[in-house]
Every structure is written in C-alpha cells, then in structure tokens.
Amino acid sequence: MKFIKESAIIFGITLAGEILNAALPLPIPTGVYGLFLLLILLCTGIVKLQDVETAGGFLLDIMPILFVPATVGLMENYVELRAILVPLVVISVVSMLVVMIVTGKVAELIMRKDHRNGGKRR
C-alpha cells in the first residue's frame, strides 16, 4: 500500500507538471515542470523524502529499461540518421565533456566552501 501511495504522489506531481506545461506558453519540457514541483515540495517539507523514497528508488532502478524504446526507435531510423551521424556524435561528446567539467567544478566549489566552514551544515 505504501508503494501505491508513493507512486500516486509522484504521478500526481507529474500530472501537475503536465497541466503547467499546457497552461504556460513556455518552451520547457513537462518533466522539468514536474521535477521543479517535486523539488519545491521537498524543500518546503510539504512532501517528505520518505513519502516518495521507495517508489523513486524503484523508478531509478528501472531507468535503463525505459531507454530501450528510444534506442530501438533510433536503430529503426538509422538510414535517416546516417547523414547527420558525425555532427550528432561530435555534439554529444562535446556537450558531455562540458557537463562533466561544469559538474566537477561546481562540486569542487561546494566542497571548498564546505571545508572553509569546517564541514558544518546549516
């Protein structure tokens, strides 16, 4: 029963994201709306982590399986993608490197700041 409750909370937030996407004329993906709603609800304490932890962990565990349909779709359209394959790979590699570098620098900054504060949390 706990899993059903947690799933209902997560899917309810996802539904709210869908509604926001339909209501607001911004070029933001529906999932981003849902993630920001969940972040706000978790930060304000309206939703506690233990209220969504089990179902969220399950969804993270099965995430690789969720990419199978997209991968099959790419494989089916290989002939059309072949013309842009080199630019696609270059863009993917460059963007991956940028994300890795920025993430590493932000993590270093946070760790440095935490070290200066003596490891104390606010």
Side-chain angles (χ1 to χ4, degrees):
M1 198 64 170
K2 182 178 191 272
F3 191 79
I4 293 172
K5 177 187 169 201
E6 291 182 14
S7 297
I9 291 170
I10 291 172
F11 293 135
I13 293 169
T14 303
L15 177 62
E18 290 278 352
I19 293 168
L20 278 174
N21 190 37
L24 299 175
L26 301 172
I28 299 173
T30 301
V32 174
Y33 282 118
L35 287 173
F36 274 120
L37 285 174
L38 181 59
L39 177 65
I40 290 167
L41 293 173
L42 285 169
C43 288
T44 58
I46 295 171
V47 173
K48 305 276 189 268
L49 180 59
Q50 58 265 25
D51 293 340
V52 293
E53 192 169 21
T54 304
F58 171 74
L59 290 171
L60 285 174
D61 289 343
I62 66 163
M63 189 183 295
I65 296 170
L66 300 176
F67 284 102
V68 170
T71 305
V72 170
L74 287 173
M75 290 169 50
E76 286 179 349
N77 295 313
Y78 175 74
V79 174
E80 292 87 8
L81 290 173
R82 189 173 32 192
I84 61 165
L85 194 60
V86 172
L88 185 66
V89 169
V90 170
I91 290 169
S92 297
V93 169
V94 169
S95 62
M96 177 192 65
L97 290 172
V98 169
V99 168
M100 289 174 63
I101 291 168
V102 170
T103 302
K105 292 298 180 184
V106 169
E108 284 179 359
L109 181 71
I110 291 171
M111 290 189 312
R112 204 174 308 126
K113 182 180 176 190
D114 189 46
H115 181 68
R116 275 191 232 129
N117 291 338
K120 297 177 185 172
R121 302 271 181 213
R122 292 184 204 184

